[in-house]
Amino acid sequence: MMISGKAKVCGIMAYPVEHSLSPMMHNFYAGQMGIDFAYVPFKVLEQSVGEAVRGAYVLNLAGMNVTVPHKQRVIPYLKELDEAAEAIGAVNTLVRVEGGYKGYNTDAPGLLRTMTEAGMEIEGRDCLLIGAGGAAKAAAFLLGSQGAASVIVLNRNPKRAGKLSEEMNRRFGRAFMTAMALADYGKVPDRPYLAVQTTSVGMDPDTGHAPVEDRGFYRNIPWAMEIIYTPAKTRFMSLVEEAGGRAVNGLDMLLYQGIEAFELWNPGRKVPEAVVSQAREMMRKELEK
Ligand code: ATR
């Protein structure tokens, strides 16, 4: 695929950026779809985020991905903020608008697409949200906006869980979220839950752990969404499956948050299913390296 003088240029700003799979993925979509588009990595220091956003604008970039550690820090430099990004308090995608960039968060839509495809319905469900950090916030917003009946936030630090649930209850105007200390998992009322695991527990290289080790806990989890994608099957997922439930890992969330960004930069274009499947395989292979 040739890049012409008219190419739409996007990129990712991160620090470090060297390990990002995004350049490979986005250039693959453009190539497969015949779009005149280029996507490049930008290594940006934390203190230079504002300059980088202004620089991107004057260089006429159509958009950017923003990742660790800039997802919050970038917000003051944006012209507009999408509702999900505002609620989550983090931005991972910039889209060029008049005079600057609009900030989006495609983690929640990426997670929704993953769960929908896996047949995990949120509306009317009782949910468990494990963790209360950045990833949990995106999941909490999604569960609230998709009409979860109730959400129990379980976190090692219960104060953080309390803060997250108060914030979401206020935002959605209904008291659907409650907080509990992770250590009190035994007090979770006995009924089936849709669980979303957002902590880093069990992530490579520390794969021997799950946020809760007690097998009894998993009897109430017929459906589980794991945010971690390395390893492909975490101990949390194995415990869910051993108790008879179904668990999905975070690979598709990673894939779809990128596709959502690509589709924001190329309005009216949908990445075809065959390309999505190829991309998933590419990503899986890269992560195995
Ligand atoms: P992220 O943006 O990836 O969510 P984060 O904001 O640092 O990262 O949040 C990490 C989450 O993993 C938090 O919920 C954290 O619990 P605390 O708020 O109590 O710190 C959770 N976490 C990390 N290590 C943990 C561990 N060993 N046991 C239980 N929870 C852990």
Side-chain angles (χ1 to χ4, degrees), residues 37 68 112 116 128 141 144 151 168 187 211 220 224 227 263:
F37 177 96
V68 179
L112 177 60
T116 304
L128 294 179
F141 176 75
V151 179
M168 291 295 154
K187 295 183 186 157
N220 284 331
I227 300 275
E263 292 174 350

Side-chain angles (χ1 to χ4, degrees), residues 136-171:
K137 211 162 173 191
F141 176 75
L142 179 68
L143 297 176
S145 58
Q146 294 301 307
S150 71
V151 179
I152 300 173
V153 188
L154 287 164
N155 198 48
R156 181 176 57 182
N157 172 352
K159 277 201 191 120
R160 216 172 166 197
K163 219 174 133 230
L164 178 63
S165 27
E166 269 172 37
E167 192 181 324
M168 291 295 154
N169 287 340
R170 204 176 321 118
R171 172 163 298 269

Side-chain angles (χ1 to χ4, degrees), residues 130-136 155-158 160 182 198-201 211:
I130 307 171
N155 198 48
R156 181 176 57 182
N157 172 352
R160 216 172 166 197
L182 186 57
T198 69
T199 74
S200 47
V201 181

Side-chain angles (χ1 to χ4, degrees), residues 69-138:
H70 306 319
K71 288 172 122 179
Q72 280 122 30
R73 196 178 282 254
V74 73
I75 292 176
Y77 304 103
L78 303 177
K79 196 90 187 156
E80 293 171 49
L81 214 48
D82 161 70
E83 190 202 340
E86 190 265 320
I88 298 165
V91 159
N92 73 343
T93 303
L94 310 188
V95 177
R96 190 182 184 87
V97 292
E98 186 67 42
Y101 291 96
K102 178 169 179 180
Y104 290 83
N105 187 308
T106 65
D107 287 336
L111 180 58
L112 177 60
R113 205 154 153 183
T114 303
M115 293 176 74
T116 304
E117 283 191 5
M120 291 184 190
E121 206 176 312
I122 297 170
E123 194 178 352
R125 283 261 194 271
D126 293 314
C127 303
L128 294 179
L129 178 59
I130 307 171
K137 211 162 173 191

